[in-house]
Amino acid sequence: MTEITLYNTRTRRKDPFEPIDPANVRMYVCGPTVYDRAHLGNARPVVTFDVLYRLLRHEYGEGAVTYVRNFTDVDDKINAAARAMKEAGDPRTLEELIRERTDQTIGWYHADMDALGALRPTHEPRATEWIGAMIAMIKGLIAKDHAYEREGHVLFRVRSYTGYGALSGRSVDDMIAGARVEVAPFKEDPMDFVLWKPSDDELPGWDSPWGRGRPGWHIECSAMAHQLLGASFDIHGGGIDLQFPHHENEIAQSCCAHPEGGFARVWMHNEMLQVEGKKMSKSLGNFFTVRDLLDGNWSGGWKVPGEVIRFVFLSTHYRKPMDWTAEKAQEAEKILKRWWAAARFDEGEGQVSEEFIGVLSDDLNTAGAIAQLHMLYASGDYPALVASARFLGLLPVEGGDWVLPNPETLAIVGIPLLLREIDAARAERDFARADEIRAVLQSAGVIVKTSKEGSSFEIGADFDPTKLEALK
């Protein structure tokens, strides 16, 4: 078994991953609030933790990994979207509009993430289906004096949890000084956050000991994670933007509600995404959804295959800011077209490269893993290239319809196989055959280089693939 090391945001170091129970490895990742299409930044954690899910299943077994990613389907943004539909003349109730909107958005999300090659998690709980668990957790926090009820709201006493701030590395007083916190007359402390809030007759609401209302955002993930993964589980993931306050609040309420557990042992956060070197923003005109890219409705103007989007994401380590550029997308498309052409030489018997797994296991080093794929391509080991690429969610068995290799691409991917034939001929001291192949390659404009490690090549400006037909 290959040792997996992961960077833990909470401890601020990279350590060997040791699951609580190797027969039941458990991971929770914060999912989307389903009020609109997923934008490009929303997709980065999906791809990041999809790769981790694949790696964990490879090491511990497909049936030994439980992956939970939630849908937040009760939220003020969702309510606002439904209100806009009603104000536009839709006669249905707000509750009916909210349900339709969230169902529709979940469908969009699945379609878009499927296009990126992401596997579906083991469980995808909707917050509205776990309200009872949230109410029970809130009642427990009140009973332990970690929460209090005021004017139909229930709030968590942040200062009742001495470990608050450990994840983000800031004290409570520092957070108050440096952050915008909601000021409300019913709060005992500015940092206290809402666990439950009242709903009017139109808004979604559920009966509770504190009146008709709905849960706060933070309690949703804590309750669903506890119900599906237990008081202690292995990994909690999400974007770095969720580190504070969402994840900090999750830790506080979960550890206070279930002090017998430790909640998540490893915290992983992917960095933010930029577009052409700038923060993605509607005001800058560089804001687009995954569907915009897939359909060609973005500044680049062409339809970007989901596999290309995935490749661009994986080319940057998850803990580094990622810059989406049209140039990167174009280069990724060229590379994948070559690899798809190489896949034609694969007979389905390739094995995932051990070096590839080793690199990927070092804190999910996808950029290094892609470098390994380039090496496999250059060496002509196409069966291993295909098997390893598919491990990353690239070159899918059912995919590749967007790729139509031209004769020049097909000729280029055949060159590494000819180089391997040169090296084999030299090893058998059949120098005549080696020289014959080299001469044809050179006549076609291929620059062949030979070293102790083997042969390599470059494509010259006068490349003529038709001349390679002399070797058939």
Side-chain angles (χ1 to χ4, degrees):
M1 177 179 286
T2 304
E3 181 179 77
I4 298 173
T5 59
L6 299 173
Y7 183 85
N8 189 343
T9 308
R10 193 170 189 178
T11 63
R12 293 165 181 78
R13 65 172 184 261
K14 187 168 66 174
D15 291 314
F17 174 64
E18 297 178 357
I20 299 169
D21 178 5
N24 184 21
V25 182
R26 288 159 286 169
M27 176 171 70
Y28 187 96
V29 174
C30 290
T33 300
V34 286
Y35 66 97
D36 207 345
R37 289 275 190 186
H39 61 69
L40 195 58
N42 298 144
R44 193 179 188 195
V46 173
V47 174
T48 294
F49 293 102
D50 177 67
V51 174
L52 179 57
Y53 183 38
R54 291 166 183 264
L55 180 61
L56 293 172
R57 282 163 39 119
H58 174 77
E59 293 299 318
Y60 297 98
E62 290 189 11
V65 182
T66 302
Y67 174 18
V68 178
R69 187 181 65 217
N70 71 294
F71 286 117
T72 296
D73 62 344
V74 52
D75 182 87
D76 290 343
K77 290 181 179 179
I78 299 171
N79 297 341
R83 281 189 188 279
M85 294 169 67
K86 193 168 182 65
E87 289 170 2
D90 197 305
R92 288 172 293 175
T93 67
L94 204 60
E95 195 167 45
E96 289 172 332
L97 292 172
I98 287 170
R99 183 68 191 194
E100 180 186 89
R101 181 69 171 185
T102 54
D103 285 349
Q104 181 184 49
T105 307
I106 288 172
W108 290 342
Y109 186 83
H110 276 147
D112 294 347
M113 298 309 114
D114 288 351
L116 300 187
L119 302 174
R120 298 281 180 94
T122 316
H123 301 289
E124 294 183 287
R126 293 175 66 137
T128 53
E129 296 171 353
W130 297 87
I131 300 296
M134 297 171 202
I135 291 173
M137 191 171 184
I138 295 169
K139 288 171 67 176
L141 287 168
I142 292 175
K144 295 174 182 177
D145 209 30
H146 289 296
Y148 57 95
E149 188 269 336
R150 294 287 189 279
E151 300 178 22
H153 295 76
V154 180
L155 297 107
F156 182 84
R157 282 193 177 93
V158 166
R159 294 185 190 271
S160 74
Y161 178 59
T162 57
Y164 196 87
L167 182 68
S168 54
R170 294 175 289 180
S171 70
V172 174
D173 291 328
D174 287 341
M175 292 180 195
I176 293 175
R180 290 178 296 177
V181 295
E182 181 186 1
V183 177
F186 47 77
K187 282 189 176 185
E188 293 180 353
D189 188 291
M191 285 300 294
D192 292 351
F193 58 87
V194 172
L195 301 174
W196 188 265
K197 51 190 172 183
S199 292
D200 60 30
D201 291 339
E202 275 196 320
L203 290 173
W206 292 264
D207 292 333
S208 79
W210 321 288
R212 186 175 182 275
R214 60 196 190 278
W217 175 33
H218 313 301
I219 197 70
E220 296 175 10
C221 287
S222 285
M224 289 185 285
H226 180 261
Q227 290 294 308
L228 294 168
L229 300 176
S232 298
F233 56 93
D234 297 295
I235 299 168
H236 195 311
I240 192 66
D241 56 316
L242 299 181
Q243 183 186 38
F244 177 81
H246 185 51
H247 290 164
E248 199 78 73
N249 292 352
E250 277 190 77
I251 292 171
Q253 63 200 7
S254 295
C255 289
C256 289
H258 305 287
E260 75 282 3
F263 199 46
R265 295 179 65 182
V266 177
W267 284 83
M268 297 178 65
H269 294 92
N270 63 273
E271 259 291 351
M272 302 297 286
L273 177 141
Q274 297 178 323
V275 175
E276 303 289 350
K278 297 179 181 179
K279 182 178 179 181
M280 189 165 64
S281 166
K282 290 182 179 178
S283 63
L284 294 175
N286 66 350
F287 180 96
F288 40 81
T289 67
V290 173
R291 181 51 52 181
D292 288 335
L293 286 171
L294 294 172
D295 291 347
N297 299 320
W298 65 296
S299 56
W302 77 89
K303 292 183 179 181
V304 184
E307 190 179 351
V308 171
I309 299 172
R310 186 180 182 94
F311 186 100
V312 175
F313 281 166
L314 298 180
S315 297
T316 300
H317 191 275
Y318 78 93
R319 286 197 290 113
K320 293 182 179 180
M322 198 212 88
D323 189 21
W324 171 274
T325 68
E327 183 180 357
K328 286 182 180 179
Q330 290 168 337
E331 182 61 24
E333 189 163 325
K334 290 178 184 177
I335 291 168
L336 285 168
K337 282 183 177 179
R338 295 191 196 115
W339 290 0
W340 269 110
R344 295 191 172 201
F345 295 89
D346 175 44
E347 297 179 354
E349 298 179 357
Q351 298 295 316
V352 177
S353 162
E354 291 184 10
E355 291 80 6
F356 168 90
I357 292 293
V359 170
L360 188 61
S361 296
D362 181 9
D363 193 30
L364 217 61
N365 185 3
T366 55
I370 285 180
Q372 290 289 316
L373 297 182
H374 282 295
M375 292 173 63
L376 292 170
Y377 171 78
S379 71
D381 191 351
Y382 296 155
L385 166 67
V386 173
S388 302
R390 285 180 177 160
F391 191 101
L392 272 187
L394 303 171
L395 307 186
V397 174
E398 70 285 357
D401 293 340
W402 60 276
V403 182
L404 292 173
N406 57 41
E408 181 173 316
T409 301
L410 289 171
I412 290 173
V413 300
I415 292 172
L417 301 180
L418 294 172
L419 296 184
R420 292 176 72 179
E421 191 173 341
I422 288 176
D423 293 337
R426 287 172 58 85
E428 296 174 1
R429 305 189 68 79
D430 186 354
F431 299 112
R433 176 56 178 166
D435 291 343
E436 177 191 1
I437 299 172
R438 177 192 292 272
V440 174
L441 287 169
Q442 289 176 337
S443 71
V446 180
I447 302 167
V448 180
K449 300 178 180 180
T450 302
S451 67
K452 293 181 180 179
E453 289 73 32
S455 299
S456 60
F457 75 99
E458 293 179 7
I459 299 298
D462 58 343
F463 179 59
D464 182 356
T466 62
K467 292 184 179 181
L468 295 179
E469 295 179 3
L471 291 171
K472 291 184 179 179

